[in-house]
Amino acid sequence: HVQLVESGGGSVQAGGSLRLSCVASGDTSSVNTMGWFRQSPGKEREGVAGIYTTFGATYYADSTKGRFTISQDKAKNTVYLQIDGLRPEDTAMYYCAADPGIPPPEPYAQARVMSAAYFRIWGQGTQVTVSS
């Protein structure tokens, strides 16, 4: 089993930055893909970034390219999400997700990794609130 714990959320003003962290524990060798998702009240869970942990390939939603950066520290079993230029519409609960699956080749990888249905393991989330 794999457990995920997110941290780093908070309340910030528009234009600010945050770095979210997701620490994985347990059978982490079984994980090949990790992702970050967000969900605000009344909306579906939305993929924002993903990473194929074996080779470091990264994937982004069209809406987050340029402001969101996903990275990993394999030695710490940690995946990060750097968010710059925060906007009020970024306010949401941010979730980390993991899966043993390997992303398919492009052009299918992005759509698959941005889909919440692809991931079987989820953290509890960390809240990000952006004020204008």
Side-chain angles (χ1 to χ4, degrees):
H1 293 290
V2 175
Q3 296 80 42
L4 305 174
V5 178
E6 304 97 330
S7 62
S11 297
V12 297
Q13 289 192 326
S17 298
L18 281 175
R19 189 176 79 158
L20 309 183
S21 299
C22 173
V23 179
S25 61
D27 185 18
T28 57
S29 64
S30 67
V31 173
N32 286 295
T33 310
M34 295 188 73
W36 283 98
F37 291 75
R38 65 185 179 185
Q39 188 170 22
S40 50
K43 294 188 177 181
E44 291 188 357
R45 193 164 293 190
E46 172 193 23
V48 297
I51 186 166
Y52 179 16
T53 57
T54 305
F55 295 109
T58 57
Y59 311 89
Y60 295 94
D62 290 340
S63 61
T64 60
K65 286 179 182 177
R67 293 194 302 119
F68 288 50
T69 305
I70 189 170
S71 61
Q72 64 176 340
D73 185 332
K74 288 186 176 182
K76 296 182 179 179
N77 290 322
T78 301
V79 171
Y80 303 98
L81 183 69
Q82 176 73 34
I83 311 174
D84 298 315
L86 279 157
R87 305 167 180 170
E89 54 264 38
D90 294 321
T91 295
M93 184 71 80
Y94 283 71
Y95 297 92
C96 177
D99 197 83
I102 297 172
E106 294 290 5
Y108 309 105
Q110 182 187 4
R112 181 73 66 86
V113 177
M114 292 298 105
S115 170
Y118 178 74
F119 291 89
R120 282 170 273 187
I121 304 161
W122 293 86
Q124 295 300 306
T126 185
Q127 178 68 37
V128 172
T129 303
V130 185
S131 57
S132 57

